Amino acid sequence: MRRSWRDRIFGGLAALEIVMAALFITGSIGSQAVDTLKDQEEYYEQLEREYTGQVRSFLARQGYRNSGVTLSRVVDSEGQRSYTILVHHSAMDQLEDEKLAELLGQVENMGFYVPGCSFTAQQLR
């Protein structure tokens, strides 16, 4: 049985609709994944801002007003985050090693508790 030109056009349009539907579905899923990553990054950025603010306040209460506080992060391919917080104040240079280690340990322990995140505190010299 021969197909008429109308059947061929109808078949072609049906195939085109299927391809377009697949593209829209794929695009929608991809967009949701991007939105999720964007939301997750905004969440971490908020936690990071709060952490650095807490560290600044803590250091000020310890007598180190206007301390330099810098937070850096490394995110590996599995999403694990390693944070290094550098603190600086000229009065910290006078601390004994034990006292400095205790202070830095307290700063590390102030880090937010999210699985896959680790913190290291160091004095910038």
Side-chain angles (χ1 to χ4, degrees):
M1 179 180 228
R2 262 182 104 182
R3 290 185 152 192
S4 71
W5 63 273
R6 286 184 186 166
D7 290 339
R8 285 187 221 155
I9 290 176
F10 179 73
L13 288 175
L16 182 62
E17 287 178 3
I18 291 170
V19 169
M20 288 182 65
L23 289 174
F24 285 130
I25 290 170
T26 303
S28 176
I29 291 171
S31 175
Q32 289 173 356
V34 169
D35 289 345
T36 301
L37 288 174
K38 182 180 175 187
D39 290 343
Q40 183 180 20
E41 192 58 34
E42 287 175 4
Y43 169 72
Y44 279 110
E45 287 174 1
Q46 179 63 33
L47 290 174
E48 293 162 6
R49 281 190 298 274
E50 290 173 5
Y51 176 50
T52 55
Q54 289 171 352
V55 169
R56 282 188 179 95
S57 295
F58 168 75
L59 291 173
R61 288 191 308 272
Q62 299 301 312
Y64 306 106
R65 290 183 51 175
N66 298 322
S67 294
V69 177
T70 304
L71 181 67
S72 61
R73 71 171 176 253
V74 175
V75 182
D76 68 16
S77 61
E78 296 172 3
Q80 303 291 314
R81 292 171 175 261
S82 300
Y83 290 96
T84 301
I85 189 153
L86 298 174
V87 295
H88 175 71
H89 193 280
S90 59
M92 287 181 196
D93 294 338
Q94 314 307 319
L95 288 177
E96 296 174 9
D97 291 341
E98 228 176 74
K99 291 288 187 184
L100 180 61
E102 182 182 330
L103 180 72
L104 294 175
Q106 290 174 319
V107 169
E108 282 181 11
N109 290 333
M110 295 173 70
F112 45 89
Y113 298 103
V114 175
C117 294
S118 62
F119 294 86
T120 303
Q122 298 175 354
Q123 179 189 17
L124 180 66
R125 294 182 186 239

